[in-house]
Amino acid sequence: SLANDFAGLNFQKVMFDSGAGSILLPILDNKSIDDLLQRFPMDEYKWEFIPSKGVGIHNLTLNIEAKDGRVFNVALHQDLTSLASGKFTIKKLRFHLVREDIVTLLDPKKFQWNPLIRQA
């Protein structure tokens, strides 16, 4: 499917973290990080780095969760009408991070924050 909506963000491709039993979303470029900051400001949302729990390589993930407990609406495979509705809610968004994402997120000139880094 090319139409997967997570809290109003569309993703054509998502990954599954087998160890955590959840979906990992890609960050496509630095503009995407800016968009995330505008949509999920740090005064309302908790941002934290957590190692993925899948089998094999354990990359860092960025988890975004509402501080007031709000949930995110998800709608999967909206372009495939033959499938049953894939609508549900989740407590946090999880993003797969590559090296460039981490460097951008930790740049003190761009982001004035102290990231939470939690062990899996």
Side-chain angles (χ1 to χ4, degrees):
S1 173
L2 301 178
N4 302 297
D5 183 278
F6 289 79
L9 302 169
N10 185 59
F11 295 91
Q12 293 185 357
K13 298 177 183 177
V14 299
M15 296 180 284
F16 186 72
D17 183 348
S18 60
S22 65
I23 295 172
L24 286 170
L25 305 170
I27 292 180
L28 303 175
D29 53 34
N30 288 347
K31 182 183 180 305
S32 296
I33 293 173
D34 292 337
D35 292 342
L36 289 176
L37 275 170
Q38 289 180 6
R39 187 177 294 257
F40 309 110
M42 291 181 187
D43 59 330
E44 297 177 38
Y45 294 87
K46 178 173 70 170
W47 289 45
E48 66 181 342
F49 293 129
I50 299 176
S52 63
K53 300 175 184 176
V55 177
I57 297 173
H58 294 257
N59 290 349
L60 279 179
T61 63
L62 170 64
N63 290 5
I64 300 176
E65 185 174 358
K67 291 179 179 179
D68 66 2
R70 283 177 286 163
V71 295
F72 299 105
N73 291 318
V74 175
L76 299 179
H77 55 74
Q78 296 304 290
D79 55 337
L80 303 175
T81 56
S82 62
L83 296 177
S85 173
K87 294 183 179 181
F88 54 95
T89 60
I90 55 177
K91 287 177 43 176
K92 63 180 107 181
L93 297 173
R94 297 184 69 230
F95 293 89
H96 170 78
L97 299 176
V98 296
R99 183 184 182 283
E100 292 79 12
D101 300 330
I102 297 166
V103 168
T104 299
L105 285 164
L106 294 178
D107 181 354
K109 293 176 188 165
K110 185 166 184 136
F111 299 101
Q112 300 300 315
W113 71 305
N114 198 4
L116 296 171
I117 302 176
R118 184 170 49 125
Q119 295 298 316

